[in-house]
Amino acid sequence: TCKSSVMIFFFSLVLVWIYSCQMTDLVFTEKEMVNSLREYIKAEESKLAAVKSWANKLDSLTKTSTSDPEAYLAHPVNAYKLVKRLNTEWSELESLVLQNPSDGFISNMTVHRQYFPDEEDETGAAKALMRLQDTYQLDSEVLAQGKLPGTHSEARLTVDDCFGMGKTAYNEADYYHAVLWMQQALKQIDAGEETEVTKADILDYLSYSVYQMGDLPRAIELTRRLVAIDSSHQRAGGNLRYFETLLSKQMNEQHQAFEPASEEPIQLGTYTRPRDHLPEREEYEALCRGEGLQMNEARRSHLFCRYQDGQRNPRLLLQPLMEEDEWDSPHIVRYIHFMSEQEINKVKELAKPRLARATVRDPKTGVLTTAQYRVSKSAWLEGEDDPVIARVNQRIEDVTGLTVETAELLQVANYGVGGQYEPHYDFSRRPFDSSLKVDGNRLATFLNYMSDVEAGGATVFPDFGGTAVFWYNLFKSGEGDYRTRHAACPVLVGSKWVSNKWIHERGQEFRRPCGLTEVD
């Protein structure tokens, strides 16, 4: 048998994706704006030089004229030139001063501003960093220093950046992350880093966030530091009295003696992260770190490699696909070099202008909507869009033996900074949403990996160009296979492109007939 990589399917299969193509566009947009800014600066400097030249010339003239005005004006040429200056040249100077070299820059800004990220995007980017921090158990200092695996350059976060991260978390009532990032901001400002943010501002947010995490002694200690810096602070005095009263009350009720705040610095692990909506959060994140279920030797011995010709399909006879068993139960297979580099580039080229925020179907209403548990952008491509799409669709049909006539369009996804898709099923659980009544449920998933990442997520699949995986979402009875619950981990460093084809039940009656039991 061939050596198969560790498979993680939520017992489980973890998919690692990220979107970044539109972020790349923003990089070049910013570069263009910098060039425009430099042109504006040159124009302002040129204007200022002209005004200075005028000032120097007029300064010399006025010194002469004011030393003896009558003698100066006695000369008819001087009289003429004075009238001419005041009537014509000062008007020209006025026009020069009123010129606005910023018009070109402002016009350029206006054109590009429609593509700029907004407040929601900035909040999303901050949350993405926090998501990476949680998933890969990264201390704030590691992120702030930019020392991430797979990176060749360091991108540092300043005090202002860390403060901004903490403030974003604070505004979302996420005091756990607010503490981590305000503490990092405080650490950097204590180390002497120059910043526009004041230490008092940081301590204000940090002390209250620590209080919200239930650490009264440390909240009191931080608030005392704040009062020492700014005794007239609007909230500090009141907060300090409130915290001290609350702590005294707790100690009396619990018959405990006062214990000073821990001198250990706040870091990852000091406080427990509150639980959220996802019950298997810890298991999901452990899988993303590569700490998932390991297949034992006995099970691995039943995994094989083979050449797949689609049961002697004419299109695959001369060039069969390399197929590997990736997991045994449910059965998942991987195809090596399923797509060529040229095909991948063409698919990306077609998808880029159509990318939009990916949606999910609300199980209650059936309406497509965006969701925080799926952060990506996607596009849908038809076979008629380009021969490459038709060829990929045909190849999927040839190798799986399933018709794609009732399948959904080829979906191309590009997952961004911390982009993710939390644990989910591809199939719809009964009652079916109305959109699936015609062609049935999602019988199977065919997923193409169109790029690889430098770091992050469980490295489930090696770096093979055009690698693809395939699995059935339903048993032969039509019942959903709940073992296929899977997730997309946030990628730590890199960019991830995937495309997938969801194959539906209709038309497969003779290609994948019903089994004898419910779980065949």
Side-chain angles (χ1 to χ4, degrees):
T1 65
C2 60
K3 183 179 179 181
S4 180
S5 62
V6 175
M7 194 61 195
I8 308 177
F9 224 83
F10 221 85
F11 51 70
S12 86
L13 169 67
V14 174
L15 313 174
V16 285
W17 308 338
I18 187 171
Y19 90 85
S20 68
C21 75
Q22 292 186 326
M23 295 290 284
T24 303
D25 294 339
L26 288 177
V27 168
F28 290 106
T29 296
E30 186 173 41
K31 175 63 176 176
E32 186 177 336
M33 293 307 304
V34 169
N35 292 337
S36 180
L37 180 60
R38 291 196 177 281
E39 289 174 6
Y40 161 64
I41 291 170
K42 284 182 181 179
E44 283 283 16
E45 288 174 340
S46 176
K47 171 185 170 180
L48 187 58
V51 172
K52 282 182 177 179
S53 176
W54 270 96
N56 291 335
K57 182 179 73 172
L58 292 169
D59 186 50
S60 176
L61 283 170
T62 53
K63 280 182 179 178
T64 302
S65 63
T66 55
S67 64
D68 189 350
E70 288 188 10
Y72 177 80
L73 293 172
H75 198 300
V77 172
N78 286 340
Y80 164 74
K81 292 186 72 172
L82 175 62
V83 172
K84 179 177 178 291
R85 282 200 305 273
L86 292 174
N87 179 57
T88 304
E89 296 180 14
W90 274 96
S91 295
E92 292 174 1
L93 179 58
E94 181 184 25
S95 298
L96 175 63
V97 172
L98 289 174
Q99 284 179 10
N100 192 351
S102 67
D103 286 346
F105 175 70
I106 295 301
S107 176
N108 207 4
M109 276 281 291
T110 303
V111 170
H112 287 93
R113 189 179 292 279
Q114 59 184 314
Y115 305 111
F116 281 13
D118 56 20
E119 190 71 29
E120 183 181 0
D121 293 318
E122 185 178 342
T123 298
K127 287 183 177 180
L129 278 181
M130 295 174 206
R131 194 178 302 129
L132 293 173
Q133 181 178 24
D134 293 339
T135 304
Y136 303 112
Q137 295 183 340
L138 302 172
D139 190 74
S140 300
E141 186 169 8
V142 172
L143 278 173
Q145 292 178 350
K147 295 179 179 178
L148 302 178
T151 56
H152 306 294
S153 60
E154 295 179 5
R156 294 179 175 272
L157 293 175
T158 64
V159 172
D160 299 284
D161 294 330
C162 295
F163 180 77
M165 290 281 293
K167 196 171 179 181
T168 295
Y170 183 92
N171 291 337
E172 296 281 324
D174 177 5
Y175 301 109
Y176 171 79
H177 288 106
V179 167
L180 291 176
W181 286 102
M182 288 299 174
Q183 175 64 31
Q184 182 59 32
L186 183 63
K187 184 176 183 178
Q188 290 180 211
I189 204 171
D190 282 342
E193 183 178 321
E194 292 185 5
T195 175
E196 294 181 8
V197 178
T198 67
K199 186 181 288 190
D201 287 335
I202 297 171
L203 287 168
D204 186 19
Y205 281 97
L206 179 58
S207 59
Y208 188 78
S209 298
V210 166
Y211 155 68
Q212 287 288 348
M213 292 304 296
D215 190 348
L216 274 172
R218 199 187 297 260
I220 290 171
E221 186 265 330
L222 290 167
T223 309
R224 284 174 178 166
R225 285 181 62 183
L226 173 56
V227 171
I229 293 173
D230 184 1
S231 59
S232 61
H233 192 280
Q234 187 176 2
R235 291 178 301 277
N239 283 352
L240 181 58
R241 288 188 294 275
Y242 175 71
F243 295 159
E244 289 174 338
T245 302
L246 199 58
L247 180 61
S248 177
K249 182 180 178 182
Q250 286 183 6
M251 286 167 28
N252 290 334
E253 289 175 352
Q254 298 171 9
H255 305 291
Q256 292 179 339
F258 173 76
E259 291 186 10
S262 171
E263 294 183 4
E264 290 293 319
I266 298 172
Q267 56 189 358
L268 198 68
T270 299
Y271 302 119
T272 302
R273 178 164 46 125
R275 293 190 174 276
D276 64 6
H277 65 280
L278 189 64
E280 65 260 76
R281 170 71 64 190
E282 291 183 6
E283 183 184 4
Y284 160 52
E285 291 177 349
L287 290 169
C288 289
R289 293 192 297 272
E291 301 168 6
L293 178 67
Q294 304 289 318
M295 187 178 290
N296 60 39
E297 286 297 327
R299 291 175 63 185
R300 196 155 39 236
S301 67
H302 294 290
L303 303 181
F304 296 90
C305 300
R306 65 192 71 82
Y307 281 103
Q308 175 61 262
D309 62 8
Q311 297 182 343
R312 302 193 61 75
N313 185 294
R315 281 178 289 268
L316 296 177
L317 276 177
L318 294 179
Q319 192 175 2
L321 289 166
M322 291 182 283
E323 181 183 88
E324 294 183 1
D325 293 323
E326 193 65 46
W327 198 262
D328 56 351
S329 179
H331 188 214
I332 302 158
V333 295
R334 173 175 59 177
Y335 298 102
I336 310 303
H337 302 307
F338 181 80
M339 292 175 67
S340 69
E341 186 176 347
Q342 291 77 13
E343 288 173 331
I344 289 171
N345 291 336
K346 188 62 179 180
V347 170
K348 289 181 182 179
E349 177 189 328
L350 293 168
K352 280 181 180 179
R354 310 184 192 191
L355 286 174
R357 174 73 186 272
T359 57
V360 295
R361 193 171 296 280
D362 189 309
K364 295 180 180 178
T365 65
V367 176
L368 289 173
T369 182
T370 59
Q372 286 301 315
Y373 60 82
R374 187 180 191 186
V375 184
S376 67
K377 293 206 171 185
S378 63
W380 300 84
L381 302 179
E382 300 185 53
E384 292 78 13
D385 290 333
D386 192 273
V388 166
I389 307 303
R391 191 159 65 241
V392 169
N393 287 342
Q394 184 64 58
R395 195 176 301 143
I396 292 172
E397 180 169 307
D398 292 343
V399 76
T400 63
L402 302 173
T403 180
V404 295
E405 289 297 317
T406 56
E408 295 176 44
L409 302 181
L410 187 70
Q411 181 183 220
V412 182
N414 186 215
Y415 282 68
V417 181
Q420 63 169 4
Y421 197 172
E422 290 180 354
H424 64 284
Y425 303 102
D426 281 352
F427 63 87
S428 174
R429 286 168 284 176
R430 289 194 170 98
F432 293 158
D433 15 44
S434 57
S435 64
L436 302 180
K437 287 181 179 177
V438 176
D439 294 325
N441 212 337
R442 288 173 174 169
L443 172 68
T445 297
F446 198 98
L447 180 68
N448 302 303
Y449 288 84
M450 303 196 300
S451 67
D452 196 45
V453 294
E454 289 81 5
T459 310
V460 179
F461 303 111
D463 184 12
F464 289 116
T467 293
V469 290
F470 170 75
W471 70 87
Y472 282 102
N473 297 305
L474 307 178
F475 291 111
K476 289 185 177 181
S477 64
E479 292 297 320
D481 187 344
Y482 285 83
R483 299 171 301 171
T484 61
R485 185 166 169 82
H486 57 284
C489 296
V491 172
L492 185 56
V493 180
S495 173
K496 200 73 178 183
W497 285 84
V498 297
S499 61
N500 66 278
K501 194 80 172 173
W502 280 310
I503 302 170
H504 284 247
E505 292 178 285
R506 297 294 176 260
Q508 321 298 349
E509 292 83 356
F510 298 103
R511 294 172 184 252
R512 194 195 189 223
C514 291
L516 297 177
T517 70
E518 190 175 293
V519 293
D520 280 355

